Amino acid sequence: MTREQTAIELERAQDTAYQAFQRKLIPGIDHILGVRMPVLRTLARQIVKGDWRAWLDDSTPDHWYEETMLRGIVTATAPMEWEERCMRTDTFVPLIDNWAVCDSVCGSFCLQDRQAWWQFLQPYLSSEREFFARFGAVMLLHLLEGQDDLPRTLYALVRVPAPGYAARMGVAWALSECGVRYPKETLCFLREQDKLDAWTYTKALQKMLESRRLPDAWRTAVREQKQIKKSEGSKGESPEGYTF
């Protein structure tokens, strides 16, 4: 499938009602056709079955949000050696300009060599670029395999320096997932460290409470820890100026 054929297929699959919904869901991104994710994943599989390298290497700029999404999914799922995966992922990440592309693509990678991925993500986790950092944080969320991974994951997340809203929300989401899976260890860690800004700290606790997977026995402890943080005088502001 060529890039031109892909554009035709995307336009055929446009859903204007879904387009309106997505534009509300992803503020500031207007170049959205409105193609549902199952259709995009089917198209990505078709691309991968063909000459996907030619498709990725085509210099035609992405016009639609969905083209960038497809580029990321193909990068994540096409069969290639580790070195090429790293190179193509490094090429793709600078194209990310919204949370939806970031998070959907992060969930598409096969993370078999977890130590190699951990090393690969370090420059993204230490970057101050908003979507570089979000990519790193959300990938850590998927990389977390078990309790043995928890300490290094928590330490890496609280040290992410990027100030952008999407980055801070990505860190909060990843921390909340750690907390849902390992509430005792995560709450103890957050209580004892001072590297995390108050806004991200509180958002992480809030997202833990919003998760139906958080054990009921831990909800009171999370609420108490959130209230303590707010009562410490840490009336922080979000990266976009929204107070909590």
Side-chain angles (χ1 to χ4, degrees):
M1 181 177 289
T2 65
R3 288 294 303 278
E4 183 178 0
Q5 290 171 325
T6 302
I8 293 171
E9 291 299 319
L10 288 173
E11 290 176 4
R12 285 176 178 169
Q14 182 182 28
D15 181 331
T16 55
Y18 189 62
Q19 179 188 51
F21 169 75
Q22 279 196 301
R23 285 179 173 172
K24 292 179 181 178
L25 197 63
I26 314 172
I29 305 299
D30 297 322
H31 52 287
I32 297 174
L33 264 175
V35 180
R36 295 180 181 272
M37 184 57 70
V39 176
L40 291 177
R41 293 203 179 277
T42 297
L43 279 174
R45 287 193 291 270
Q46 292 175 5
I47 293 166
V48 169
K49 288 179 180 178
D51 190 352
W52 55 266
R53 287 187 176 87
W55 191 93
L56 285 175
D57 294 338
D58 190 313
S59 60
T60 304
D62 295 340
H63 179 68
W64 296 110
Y65 153 92
E66 287 85 355
E67 290 176 301
T68 305
M69 182 74 83
L70 278 175
R71 184 181 296 278
I73 296 172
V74 171
T75 297
T77 59
M80 64 185 85
E81 296 297 325
W82 171 248
E83 291 74 14
E84 183 177 7
R85 183 90 62 200
C86 291
M87 179 272 291
R88 291 192 179 277
T89 302
D90 283 336
T91 299
F92 169 73
V93 173
L95 302 178
I96 299 174
D97 63 358
N98 64 84
W99 67 265
V101 166
C102 179
D103 298 0
S104 296
V105 172
C106 285
S108 300
F109 284 97
C110 178
L111 304 176
Q112 287 184 330
D113 192 340
R114 308 185 89 80
Q115 185 57 33
W117 274 107
W118 174 265
Q119 295 299 329
F120 174 77
L121 292 172
Q122 296 312 301
Y124 291 103
L125 293 165
S126 62
S127 174
E128 294 200 2
R129 294 179 63 173
E130 183 174 16
F131 287 102
F132 277 42
R134 186 179 180 99
F135 175 79
V138 177
M139 286 293 286
L140 277 196
L141 181 162
H142 293 289
L143 198 62
L144 179 63
E145 185 174 31
Q147 194 167 343
D148 289 345
D149 286 339
L150 185 63
R152 71 174 185 176
T153 300
L154 292 171
Y155 276 109
L157 288 170
V158 300
R159 285 164 172 74
V160 171
Y165 180 80
R168 303 320 304 164
M169 282 299 295
V171 171
W173 179 29
L175 285 171
S176 75
E177 286 294 311
C178 292
V180 167
R181 293 176 63 180
Y182 307 104
K184 178 181 178 180
E185 294 81 1
T186 301
L187 288 176
C188 287
F189 174 84
L190 292 176
R191 195 180 296 127
E192 294 172 0
Q193 64 81 42
D194 59 0
K195 298 293 184 182
L196 188 64
D197 63 281
W199 187 88
T200 307
Y201 189 121
T202 306
K203 278 293 182 184
L205 296 177
Q206 177 182 321
K207 292 183 77 64
M208 284 178 65
L209 291 171
E210 291 171 354
S211 174
R212 295 181 179 179
R213 293 179 291 112
L214 178 67
D216 289 340
W218 284 98
R219 291 190 178 276
T220 298
V222 175
R223 290 191 186 98
E224 289 176 351
Q225 190 153 327
K226 182 181 177 184
Q227 188 59 40
I228 289 171
K229 191 65 178 178
K230 292 178 71 173
S231 66
E232 287 176 346
S234 53
K235 293 289 185 178
E237 292 188 350
S238 82
E240 298 295 337
Y242 298 104
T243 57
F244 60 77

